[in-house]
Amino acid sequence: MTENKSEREIKLEKLQKWVGAKINPYPSVTPQFEPIDRARKAKEGETVATTGRILTVRAHGKSTFMDIIDPSGKIQLFHSEQELGETDYERLSWLDTGDYIWVRGEQFITKTGEITIKVKSYQLLTKSLLPIPAQYTGLDDTETRYRQRALDFKINNSAKEIITTRSKVISSIRNFLDKHGFIEITTPVLQPIPGGATAKPFITNYNALDADFYLRISDELYLKRLVVGGFERVYEIGPDFRNEGLSHMHNPEFTMCEFYWAYQNYKGLMTITEQLVREVVKKATGSFAVTYQGHKLDFEKDFVVKKYSQLILEETGINIDELTEFADLIAVVEAKKIKFENQNITVWSELVDELFKKECRPKIVEPTFVIDYPITTAPLAKKNAENPLIAEKFQLICAGGFELVNAYSELNDPLDQEARFKEQMQMRQSGWDEAQMLDENYI
């Protein structure tokens, strides 16, 4: 702590030198410049101007080398008293790693082959007052990385690449859906009744209405209202909130894309989903083959299709099609010594859901459509015409249990929907907090 404080005091002293020289250390105007990657492409002897954050400073008498970086790359700078004059060269000592500067000069190549700018003039853009971890050591402490994300992005290129890839994913999803005739919609984030998913909501208070409202757990029921209103292809990309646990696959606040397409069932949705995911992977990563947490995935070949009950039977030996009562199923689960984090399960649907999540989902690696879920686990999905105990639902899962997509043939029978909601309310009363609420307006 003493060393960091001392370094800050030194930085503050240097800041005061800039102020004393009547030079604004935080100017509002930056002279014209180009990114470092473009500056590097200039011909030797050509004049370039660029900006960046100082990574290193190496002074040698009356010459000083610096490395600066921006999102596009890194470049070396060469300063000399002969080029800058005595006063401006002396002021280089007022700069520190972490400061942002603008420079202008001629590009040349050193004897070691390093592209370098011979600086003719420079300007301080932002004075840094806190020490930044050295680029070569990086920021390795996990807690510091996630509590100080801006610092993480500044130091770790891999963290920055995640944000860049995320942007490509979102833009490619949007382009795909726009190309297929969908229109983008924004629906309410604050909702009087949270619906559209099996999850616990965050509760807040709407002072103007003196009523409890909920951060949405899904966009679903409001997008479906638009389908009812005559918009046959709609989608939304936005934040949703679920008041549940934290893990590498679940965050209480996350971004989700939902789209709805009139006159389509889950088989048609599986077809377009496969096309969408394949295109997004290609555009975001440049390849159909990707590696995620040690799992090698190939999105170019046809996705695997597996039935929900068959997966459970294969992995556990339990036939949920026959064990349709909670008491019978829990007895078999306990006999097989299968344990769950939640030991207060009282509902068959929750037990089946936990069984699948624990015993089956983590073992799915290749992109796989899991289809035909028990009807009681999918209160917004249509029943299968041949088997009314099965919902026309699928999830796309890969990479050791990562859920990419959840979708189904949309239930449009209002009487059936009302009965399903009431069944969900009974499950809530039996202790399943994630069961859905009754939304009469939607019905």
Side-chain angles (χ1 to χ4, degrees):
M1 292 297 292
T2 304
E3 181 181 347
N4 288 346
K5 184 177 181 181
S6 174
E7 189 171 345
R8 185 172 187 274
E9 287 176 348
I10 293 171
K11 287 175 176 283
L12 283 169
E13 289 174 1
K14 292 182 179 181
L15 173 67
Q16 290 307 312
K17 290 181 179 180
W18 290 102
V19 174
K22 300 188 184 309
I23 299 174
N24 184 356
Y26 305 101
S28 61
V29 177
T30 300
Q32 189 172 359
F33 70 95
E34 58 187 3
I36 286 175
D37 63 341
R38 288 175 56 187
R40 289 180 62 89
K41 295 175 182 176
K43 297 178 181 178
E44 191 168 6
E46 187 176 342
T47 298
V48 296
T50 192
T51 61
R53 174 170 59 89
I54 299 174
L55 285 179
T56 60
V57 179
R58 304 178 298 282
H60 305 282
K62 295 186 178 182
S63 63
T64 299
F65 285 90
M66 293 183 185
D67 291 324
I68 63 171
I69 190 170
D70 75 359
S72 70
K74 182 174 73 170
I75 197 166
Q76 180 173 262
L77 309 178
F78 171 74
H79 306 78
S80 69
E81 185 177 310
Q82 181 180 354
E83 291 288 346
L84 295 175
E86 183 177 351
T87 300
D88 281 347
Y89 185 78
E90 181 184 343
R91 287 173 180 163
L92 288 176
S93 65
W94 302 354
L95 296 172
D96 294 294
T97 57
D99 292 351
Y100 285 81
I101 61 171
W102 171 90
V103 297
R104 185 175 183 275
E106 292 180 3
Q107 194 203 91
F108 73 101
I109 299 176
T110 65
K111 293 179 180 179
T112 59
E114 181 80 16
I115 296 175
T116 305
I117 298 175
K118 183 187 294 183
V119 177
K120 303 286 188 179
S121 60
Y122 70 91
Q123 180 180 338
L124 173 64
L125 300 178
T126 299
K127 187 78 182 113
S128 170
L129 300 183
L130 289 174
I132 295 174
Q135 190 76 16
Y136 60 86
T137 60
L139 182 62
D140 296 324
D141 181 71
T142 301
E143 183 164 350
T144 302
R145 287 187 62 194
Y146 286 94
R147 289 188 182 276
Q148 300 186 40
R149 294 297 279 162
L151 183 60
D152 186 26
F153 296 142
K154 187 180 289 288
I155 299 300
N156 291 315
N157 285 332
S158 60
K160 201 179 299 180
E161 287 169 5
I162 291 172
I163 298 300
T164 303
T165 302
R166 180 186 184 276
S167 177
K168 291 178 181 177
V169 167
I170 291 175
S171 63
S172 57
I173 290 173
R174 182 173 280 117
N175 290 338
F176 180 93
L177 292 174
D178 289 347
K179 184 172 62 179
H180 283 77
F182 290 80
I183 62 170
E184 187 170 8
I185 302 290
T186 299
T187 62
V189 173
L190 284 174
Q191 300 178 351
I193 298 174
T198 303
K200 290 180 66 174
F202 285 92
I203 305 174
T204 187
N205 187 265
Y206 211 136
N207 291 338
L209 299 177
D210 190 26
D212 283 342
F213 270 63
Y214 304 84
L215 292 177
R216 69 183 181 196
I217 57 176
S218 170
D219 318 359
E220 179 164 341
L221 299 188
Y222 283 85
L223 286 171
K224 285 182 178 179
R225 283 170 165 85
L226 289 162
V227 176
V228 171
F231 295 91
E232 295 183 352
R233 301 188 191 192
V234 296
Y235 76 95
E236 181 170 11
I237 301 173
D240 290 287
F241 309 84
R242 297 182 183 180
N243 197 359
E244 299 169 348
L246 283 165
S247 76
H248 71 287
M249 292 197 297
H250 293 91
N251 199 52
E253 178 180 354
F254 62 100
T255 300
M256 181 160 61
C257 170
E258 293 201 33
F259 69 84
Y260 293 88
W261 188 0
Y263 312 114
Q264 281 293 339
N265 68 0
Y266 77 135
K267 292 183 179 178
L269 293 176
M270 287 167 66
T271 299
I272 195 174
T273 294
E274 188 165 345
Q275 295 170 357
L276 168 62
V277 172
R278 188 173 287 125
E279 182 171 314
V280 168
V281 169
K282 177 67 173 177
K283 289 191 174 180
T285 70
S287 172
F288 293 116
V290 299
T291 300
Y292 175 75
Q293 295 190 346
H295 298 292
K296 294 183 178 179
L297 311 173
D298 183 0
F299 287 90
E300 187 171 20
K301 64 183 182 182
D302 292 341
F303 295 177
V304 177
V305 180
K306 286 272 191 176
K307 289 190 175 183
Y308 183 90
S309 61
Q310 188 63 33
L311 274 172
I312 293 178
L313 182 62
E314 290 174 2
E315 297 297 338
T316 69
I318 297 174
N319 190 337
I320 63 169
D321 293 333
E322 294 179 354
L323 299 168
T324 57
E325 296 295 328
F326 176 77
D328 297 333
L329 181 57
I330 193 67
V332 174
V333 169
E334 290 176 348
K336 289 181 176 289
K337 295 182 169 47
I338 299 174
K339 303 289 185 181
F340 307 105
E341 290 183 14
N342 178 9
Q343 296 300 313
N344 299 314
I345 299 173
T346 58
V347 177
W348 186 90
S349 299
E350 183 181 14
L351 178 57
V352 168
D353 185 52
E354 292 294 332
L355 185 63
F356 175 75
K357 288 177 180 177
K358 185 176 191 301
E359 299 295 327
C360 303
R361 201 165 73 177
K363 298 172 184 175
I364 299 173
V365 176
E366 285 297 325
T368 301
F369 285 122
V370 180
I371 66 171
D372 296 349
Y373 284 61
I375 193 67
T376 55
T377 67
L380 298 165
K382 273 191 175 182
K383 295 176 181 177
N384 185 283
E386 297 176 0
N387 184 355
L389 297 178
I390 296 299
E392 292 188 349
K393 168 181 171 175
F394 71 85
Q395 287 184 319
L396 178 58
I397 299 171
C398 66
F402 200 93
E403 178 191 326
L404 288 177
V405 179
N406 177 47
Y408 35 79
S409 302
E410 302 296 343
L411 177 58
N412 61 347
D413 179 341
L415 298 179
D416 190 7
Q417 184 66 84
E418 182 178 31
R420 301 269 202 94
F421 274 149
K422 288 181 177 178
E423 185 179 35
Q424 289 283 304
M425 292 298 289
Q426 290 176 355
M427 293 180 189
R428 288 183 69 86
Q429 293 166 6
S430 298
W432 192 15
D433 292 339
E434 295 183 359
Q436 296 200 34
M437 298 183 186
L438 175 63
D439 188 338
E440 293 181 351
N441 178 271
Y442 171 69
I443 295 171

